[in-house]
Amino acid sequence: MTKSTAQLKVYLSVVHKLKEMIQRDRLSAGDRLPSERELSERLSVGRSSVREAFRALELLGLIETRHGEGTFLRDFRDHHLVELLGMFILQNGQAEKDVLEMKIWIEMGSMNRMLQNDVSTLNWLFDSIVTGYQNGEITTINHFKSSLFESSGNRLAYKVWLVLYDFDRMSSKESAALDIELIYTVKKAMLSKDMTIIRTFCTEPVTLQQAK
Amino acid sequence: MTKSTAQLKVYLSVVHKLKEMIQRDRLSAGDRLPSERELSERLSVGRSSVREAFRALELLGLIETRHGEGTFLRDFRDHHLVELLGMFILQNGQAEKDVLEMKIWIEMGSMNRMLQNDVSTLNWLFDSIVTGYQNGEITTINHFKSSLFESSGNRLAYKVWLVLYDFDRMSSKESAALDIELIYTVKKAMLSKDMTIIRTFCTEPVTLQQAK
DNA sequence: TTTTACAATTGGTCAGACCACGTAATTCTC
DNA sequence: GAGAATTACGTGGTCTGACCAATTGTAAAA
């Protein structure tokens, strides 16, 4: 895969060395990597090449650098890969419809996923959301959804949802205010697996509130 | 979103400037970006900072640099990002699961979306897929899916699906071969809106073939 | 006109300098 | 001796300048 004839760029070789190092030493999230200067010496390459490798991995979300402290391995699940891709994928003024539509797909997937939780877990989740609502932390329907999907267990999907949410919010009007009755409505729907209401909650949540 | 107090690292600001430049000038795949030295001057930053930004975007697969020629925008679909992430993530089981799961959500959404097409459109679509199969262009189930989702009308979702597909492909075994019977099975299911089969096609397509 | 040689441009890499930030060791103060 | 202030060191952040290597464009030579 990696061409050996037309020799690799130095910064890429550093990336590979780092990978080997990480595997060999069983490094995991939070662990510290050698300093730029040390790596530079150990690998006999310029510090700038090491930095290029580090910057690339940083933009990928694989490492984190803290000024004055060092460079650390990051929890890969936090990768902001999504933001990055979003920045470039959505560049061409993509149809807002596509964004909104895909957002709903993820919502449906997340809701379905949560349906597999047991009753006590669901109860606990909704209770904490109600508390958040009463404390004024959750004020819009999308805040509500965010809390739900964050707990759905698929972090990647949640990240993507957040990006789509941001994009959607920019183009459309302000997010609708949250009625506490809606929380209970959704809770009931989840506990009884009422797919009709769940679907409506994803596609047109405001109608659920007006119906009240 | 982007912190303005603790000022951004220079290389990140370059990334943002590039993004703006790409949007403003409507640059697309294959177009050339300014040289490192020119950017360095124009943005009043060191060339090394420009290089850090370029290297990062290169590792992401968003640009391509050719020695002696310059730096060019790349079709994002060519990203070797998957290899990169896989290289660092593969030991993490959860990430894989998230990818596969979200891939299925998009598939379900795309299929549902296509259900709204009229019969003649669906017929035309499947006919062209059959032709592609007979010409040896579509050989795996995922090729089949790709053809479907590409036509689903939501380009954003299709792009994301491609990313997830690549990611999934490198972690799991080879994609299953496509049986032409499966095409007809799915076609029939679409025309009759048989959600059970459609769901199975998204989640466990091979079982549909074994059943034949 | 075609070919060849050379100059200019561009990326690739390195070395060194200096600043800013954190931390740990040290010194000072009480 | 304990705590607070200071200092020294290590680290990332950034810039500059230098040189090499690949490519392209141009001008001279055939």
Side-chain angles (χ1 to χ4, degrees):
Chain A
M1 193 65 51
T2 51
K3 47 173 124 178
S4 47
T5 59
Q7 80 274 8
L8 228 43
K9 291 181 192 172
V10 175
Y11 92 95
L12 285 178
S13 76
V14 173
V15 169
H16 283 117
K17 287 287 183 189
L18 280 172
K19 174 197 131 199
E20 289 173 14
M21 189 177 307
I22 291 168
Q23 292 182 330
R24 178 166 44 80
D25 299 344
R26 300 265 195 287
L27 299 183
S28 59
D31 290 342
R32 192 171 157 220
L33 297 174
S35 75
E36 299 178 352
R37 289 175 176 84
E38 183 186 342
L39 262 179
S40 163
E41 247 188 83
R42 234 201 295 177
L43 304 181
S44 304
V45 299
R47 189 183 155 210
S48 53
S49 291
V50 174
R51 277 190 63 80
E52 288 181 6
F54 272 1
R55 275 340 101 222
L57 293 178
E58 183 180 60
L59 195 64
L60 265 173
L62 296 175
I63 63 173
E64 179 185 6
T65 56
R66 295 201 279 268
H67 196 171
E69 299 183 57
T71 303
F72 303 83
L73 258 187
R74 207 168 149 171
D75 185 347
F76 300 139
R77 276 178 260 195
D78 294 352
H79 54 68
H80 47 213
L81 155 73
V82 180
E83 290 90 330
L84 254 292
L85 285 183
M87 195 168 95
F88 283 83
I89 289 180
L90 294 179
Q91 62 185 346
N92 300 337
Q94 191 55 248
E96 295 166 20
K97 246 189 69 182
D98 284 5
V99 173
L100 181 57
E101 187 176 50
M102 189 172 146
K103 174 165 169 275
I104 290 173
W105 295 355
I106 294 180
E107 294 180 1
M108 284 302 295
S110 296
M111 295 299 272
N112 268 310
R113 191 185 211 281
M114 277 185 286
L115 282 181
Q116 296 165 11
N117 289 334
D118 53 69
V119 177
S120 64
T121 304
L122 282 176
N123 272 322
W124 181 87
L125 171 59
F126 278 92
D127 284 352
S128 72
I129 288 180
V130 167
T131 305
Y133 177 84
Q134 289 165 342
N135 291 344
E137 298 158 3
I138 302 179
T139 58
T140 71
I141 291 179
N142 273 320
H143 285 167
F144 178 26
K145 287 184 173 179
S146 175
S147 301
L148 283 176
F149 306 147
E150 186 178 10
S151 311
S152 78
N154 188 324
R155 281 196 65 74
L156 173 63
Y158 176 60
K159 283 274 190 180
V160 174
W161 184 87
L162 282 178
V163 175
L164 298 178
Y165 164 55
D166 277 341
F167 272 94
D168 180 46
R169 192 175 42 166
M170 284 193 312
S171 50
S172 59
K173 51 280 155 196
E174 197 49 35
S175 181
L178 175 62
D179 182 341
I180 193 168
E181 290 299 327
L182 180 62
I183 301 180
Y184 292 122
T185 303
V186 175
K187 177 180 181 180
K188 216 176 77 180
M190 290 290 284
L191 291 175
S192 60
K193 298 195 193 316
D194 185 335
M195 293 310 295
T196 306
I197 290 187
I198 291 177
R199 177 174 300 274
T200 305
F201 170 62
C202 292
T203 55
E204 303 186 65
V206 283
T207 64
L208 284 182
Q209 292 198 142
Q210 292 167 346
K212 266 287 137 195
Chain B
M1 197 64 51
T2 49
K3 47 171 123 175
S4 46
T5 59
Q7 81 270 7
L8 228 43
K9 292 182 194 173
V10 175
Y11 92 96
L12 284 178
S13 78
V14 173
V15 169
H16 283 120
K17 288 286 183 189
L18 280 173
K19 177 194 139 204
E20 288 174 16
M21 189 177 307
I22 291 169
Q23 290 181 326
R24 178 166 44 79
D25 299 342
R26 302 263 194 286
L27 299 184
S28 58
D31 290 340
R32 186 165 166 236
L33 297 173
S35 74
E36 298 177 353
R37 289 175 176 86
E38 183 186 339
L39 263 179
S40 164
E41 248 187 84
R42 237 167 43 181
L43 304 180
S44 305
V45 301
R47 190 183 155 210
S48 53
S49 291
V50 175
R51 279 190 62 81
E52 288 181 7
F54 272 1
R55 274 341 101 223
L57 293 179
E58 184 180 59
L59 195 63
L60 264 172
L62 297 174
I63 63 174
E64 178 185 7
T65 56
R66 296 200 279 269
H67 196 169
E69 298 184 57
T71 304
F72 303 84
L73 255 190
R74 203 165 157 174
D75 183 346
F76 100 98
R77 283 167 54 177
D78 300 345
H79 57 70
H80 42 215
L81 188 153
V82 259
E83 306 170 22
L84 252 296
L85 286 180
M87 196 166 92
F88 284 83
I89 291 181
L90 267 190
Q91 49 244 36
N92 182 349
Q94 184 58 38
E96 272 180 61
K97 259 187 58 183
D98 286 3
V99 170
L100 180 58
E101 187 175 50
M102 188 171 147
K103 175 166 168 273
I104 290 173
W105 295 355
I106 293 181
E107 294 180 2
M108 283 303 294
S110 296
M111 295 300 272
N112 268 311
R113 189 186 212 279
M114 279 186 284
L115 282 180
Q116 295 165 11
N117 289 333
D118 52 67
V119 177
S120 64
T121 304
L122 282 177
N123 272 321
W124 182 87
L125 171 59
F126 277 92
D127 284 352
S128 71
I129 288 180
V130 168
T131 304
Y133 177 83
Q134 289 165 340
N135 291 344
E137 297 159 3
I138 303 179
T139 58
T140 71
I141 292 180
N142 272 320
H143 285 165
F144 179 26
K145 285 184 174 178
S146 175
S147 302
L148 283 175
F149 306 148
E150 185 178 11
S151 312
S152 79
N154 189 323
R155 278 200 65 73
L156 171 64
Y158 176 60
K159 285 182 177 179
V160 174
W161 184 87
L162 279 178
V163 175
L164 299 179
Y165 162 53
D166 280 341
F167 199 7
D168 178 47
R169 189 175 43 165
M170 77 161 313
S171 54
S172 58
K173 48 281 156 197
E174 198 50 34
S175 181
L178 176 60
D179 181 340
I180 194 168
E181 290 299 326
L182 180 62
I183 302 181
Y184 292 122
T185 302
V186 174
K187 178 180 180 180
K188 215 176 78 179
M190 290 291 283
L191 291 175
S192 60
K193 298 193 193 316
D194 185 334
M195 294 310 295
T196 307
I197 289 187
I198 291 178
R199 177 174 298 276
T200 306
F201 170 63
C202 293
T203 54
E204 303 186 67
V206 284
T207 63
L208 284 183
Q209 293 198 141
Q210 293 167 343
K212 267 287 140 195

